[in-house]
Amino acid sequence: MSSSSPPESPAFRPPTVELHKPLAPAIPHIVAQCAAGPGTYNVSSPHTLGQSWFVKRGNLSLEAEARTQAYLFTLALSDPLAPGIARVHGVFRDSCDTYLLMDHVPAPSFRAWIEHGQSDSDRAARSAIAIEKIAAAVSWLLQCPTPGDNRIGPVGGGLIQHRFFNMGEAPVAFRSPEALEKFLDKASALTRLPGNDIRRVELRTEALIFSPSDITLDNFLYDPHSERVWMVDHQHVNVLPTSFFDYYIYASEDPFVQAVAAKIDFAPSAQRAQLRLASAIVIQSGNSSLGLGEDGEPLPRRRRPRPLT
């Protein structure tokens, strides 16, 4: 990790990201340019607004992603060593989808930049640069102060987006490390045999960090002229106990993730084996909540209606 001091956390309030009022008249224009369906779009604005935007069209999880991105953008503004993070201009919904509107960053992804190398040796050199630059950006993220409200998942709460879970998403919006710990303890208990005591996963004593779980060449942009790195796609950046980052980055079989991990100074977790076991059970369960709610407590059973007599 970088030896620089971590940025100060902005004064935290339950975050909301609404569409900036000057952009409201442009909604029909934005929707029309994103008509092909869920995905990402570079949208040119009406001439009266004088700018272009990057728009993500998808489901309600974009609202949570917007809060996380806006929070990290605020941190990055005051830190000259931070990677670039696009300013969020707002979120709005139509009858079908959610739209996340942000600054357009005119830089290629690391993948595109590498592929445009002039030779095999040039592409290999660019790949090495990508690994170093992305590792530095991830290291910055790991040092960022979290909001301090003990919420986990996206900033302000919501469904955790992490490959630990089936389909990459938690079954419920766990409110705290304690709630998630209860869920994992119940998952682990499903494989316990009489006389075989499996150690519990203990999360409540771990530090909370911004934990990325989708480190790819496509999720970081690079301007080779300024050497500026931009971190994009914050859906899989969640506030989580440290063991979850360890689980992702050291258990990954992706050679690129392994190469980035080798450049990051991060203490390994002693709970990696327990998390692997718990993840296997959670995935096999079809992402069931195992009968638990957001606080990790059993949900009340629904009473069956009495038959009419």
Side-chain angles (χ1 to χ4, degrees), residues 8-305:
E8 293 184 0
S9 175
F12 182 71
R13 299 175 182 175
T16 57
V17 179
E18 298 177 348
L19 190 71
H20 293 188
K21 289 184 179 179
L23 301 180
I27 286 179
H29 176 81
I30 295 168
V31 172
Q33 292 198 43
C34 301
T40 58
Y41 301 85
N42 292 323
V43 173
S44 59
S45 66
H47 69 279
T48 54
L49 295 174
Q51 69 180 98
S52 296
W53 306 302
F54 183 76
V55 180
K56 297 181 74 171
R57 175 182 173 182
N59 59 30
L60 281 172
S61 69
L62 288 175
E63 293 185 354
E65 180 179 351
R67 295 195 301 268
T68 299
Q69 182 171 335
Y71 178 89
L72 292 173
F73 171 81
T74 302
L75 291 179
L77 278 180
S78 60
D79 186 352
L81 298 179
I85 295 174
R87 182 191 297 270
V88 173
H89 289 284
V91 175
F92 68 90
R93 279 179 274 170
D94 63 11
S95 59
C96 300
D97 293 311
T98 303
Y99 298 77
L100 167 55
L101 186 65
M102 68 188 82
D103 282 343
H104 168 65
V105 179
S109 68
F110 266 112
R111 185 181 303 281
W113 179 66
I114 291 169
E115 290 175 349
H116 283 81
Q118 299 300 310
S119 63
D120 288 345
S121 60
D122 185 25
R123 286 187 285 273
R126 292 185 179 203
S127 295
I129 291 172
I131 291 168
E132 291 282 352
K133 297 284 189 181
I134 291 174
V138 172
S139 295
W140 176 85
L141 182 64
L142 296 174
Q143 294 184 83
C144 284
T146 59
D149 58 352
N150 206 41
R151 298 290 294 265
I152 57 175
V155 169
L159 295 173
I160 299 168
Q161 307 287 324
H162 195 285
R163 295 184 182 186
F164 176 91
F165 299 98
N166 189 26
M167 303 299 291
E169 185 175 84
V172 296
F174 296 110
R175 293 181 179 274
S176 66
E178 292 82 1
L180 181 56
E181 181 180 297
K182 292 174 183 177
F183 172 73
L184 299 188
D185 187 47
K186 185 166 184 178
S188 298
L190 296 177
T191 63
R192 289 177 185 159
L193 299 175
N196 183 15
D197 185 22
I198 298 176
R199 286 192 301 163
R200 296 180 58 204
V201 178
E202 297 182 2
L203 300 177
R204 65 188 70 197
T205 58
E206 291 191 352
L208 294 180
I209 60 171
F210 280 102
S211 176
S213 59
D214 192 20
I215 299 173
T216 70
L217 289 167
D218 297 306
N219 286 340
F220 295 85
L221 311 183
Y222 184 57
D223 181 346
H225 302 291
S226 65
E227 299 186 353
R228 185 82 188 274
V229 175
W230 292 79
M231 186 163 55
V232 297
D233 197 356
H234 296 77
Q235 177 183 4
H236 294 93
V237 175
N238 283 240
V239 176
L240 287 168
T242 54
S243 285
F244 275 80
F245 180 69
D246 172 90
Y247 169 82
Y248 165 68
I249 203 164
Y250 292 117
S252 175
E253 297 180 356
D254 184 337
F256 175 72
V257 174
Q258 292 174 352
V260 171
K263 300 289 184 180
I264 296 176
D265 180 14
F266 190 81
S269 170
Q271 302 195 93
R272 190 182 304 168
Q274 294 100 293
L275 279 182
R276 281 185 174 180
L277 174 62
S279 176
I281 300 165
V282 169
I283 290 173
Q284 290 172 15
S285 75
N287 219 31
S288 165
S289 69
L290 305 180
L292 303 181
E294 295 181 351
D295 294 315
E297 299 297 334
L299 293 169
R301 293 184 178 181
R302 294 181 179 178
R303 293 183 178 180
R304 294 182 179 179

